[in-house]
Structures are given as structure tokens and as C-alpha cells.
Amino acid sequence: MKRNTAVNTLLLLAVAALAVLPLALGLGDHKEEPFAGADAEAETAITEIEPDYEPWFAPLYEPPSGEVESALFALQAALGTGVLAYYFGLRHGRRQGERRATAAQPDAQPGAHPGAHPGARPGTRPAARPGEAGSAADATGDLETREA
């Protein structure tokens, strides 16, 4: 088994254990809402310490039930995961494309422009030959024909 595969397997088992152990051990059985969020826990602790406390701000939107609140939270998490997955997939695809492009041109240095001579510095473009599109001779010829 490869080292990366072993590490990934151990991480997956650790995440599964973190999800299953609290349920299996009954860690939330003594509470009214066993797995309430940190906001609810903080609100309970504050009202126990200071019963007359009034919050500074009110929520912009109060969901009608805990299920709707959980669904909105799950939707937010799914959208965030989708954005991150898209970004990392795009980055991986670009790297893979660069590797394939450099593998197709064994003489070229990484980062050199396609068509550059083998000794070109990375990021430089090949020089245009006289008469080719984009060369200095071609540009002056275009100016002469335009003025005539």
C-alpha cells in the first residue's frame, strides 16, 4: 500500500470515528437537544449567568424551525464545498495541462513560450522572422501601404 493511500485511509477512519463515537457513547443523552449548535449553547450559558441580558442585535432572518435552519446550513456548506472543489479542480487541470504541454516539447524549458528556441528564458516569446505576421518588417510594410 502506498504511503498516501495509508494516510488517506487513516484520515478517513478518524473522521468516521469522530462522527460515530458521540452517537455510540451517548454523549448528548442528558440534554434536551443533544447536538445543538454552539450558538444555542452560548445563549443558554449567557441566560444562566445573566437572566436579564438582552442581545445587541436581532437576526435578519429567523427560520421557522430547526429543520429549516439545518437545511439552510447544509445548503451553505454544500455551496462552499462546490466552490472550493471547482477551484482546486481548475488548478489541478491547469497544472496537468502544463505538464502535458512540456512533455510534448522535451527540449523546451518549463514556462517557456511554445515555439521558443530550446535555450530561451521562461516566459519569452519567439522572435518573428522577416515577412511573418507580427515582425518589424511586416509592420513597417503595412504602414507604407496604408500611407500610399
Side-chain angles (χ1 to χ4, degrees):
M1 185 184 289
K2 290 183 179 179
R3 184 172 186 263
N4 286 342
T5 305
V7 169
N8 287 342
T9 303
L10 287 174
L11 288 172
L12 187 62
L13 288 173
V15 168
L18 286 172
V20 172
L21 282 177
L23 296 172
L25 298 176
L27 295 178
D29 290 344
H30 65 282
K31 297 181 180 180
E32 186 178 319
E33 289 187 47
F35 299 105
D39 292 345
E41 292 288 330
E43 185 179 346
T44 303
I46 290 170
T47 53
E48 285 177 5
I49 295 170
E50 185 67 43
D52 297 333
Y53 175 78
E54 290 186 30
W56 293 359
F57 301 102
L60 297 175
Y61 170 71
E62 188 71 36
S65 68
E67 290 82 11
V68 173
E69 185 175 358
S70 294
L72 290 173
F73 183 76
L75 179 65
Q76 176 186 0
L79 287 172
T81 302
V83 168
L84 285 175
Y86 174 78
Y87 169 74
F88 286 120
L90 184 68
R91 203 169 106 187
H92 177 73
R94 285 183 180 169
R95 282 186 185 165
Q96 194 174 30
E98 288 174 1
R99 276 191 228 119
R100 286 182 182 166
T102 55
Q105 298 176 351
D107 293 339
Q109 291 181 354
H113 191 293
H117 70 282
R121 291 185 319 220
T124 59
R125 294 180 158 241
R129 294 183 190 103
E132 285 185 350
S135 70
D138 190 37
T140 56
D142 286 346
L143 288 176
E144 291 172 1
T145 55
R146 287 185 197 152
E147 291 175 359

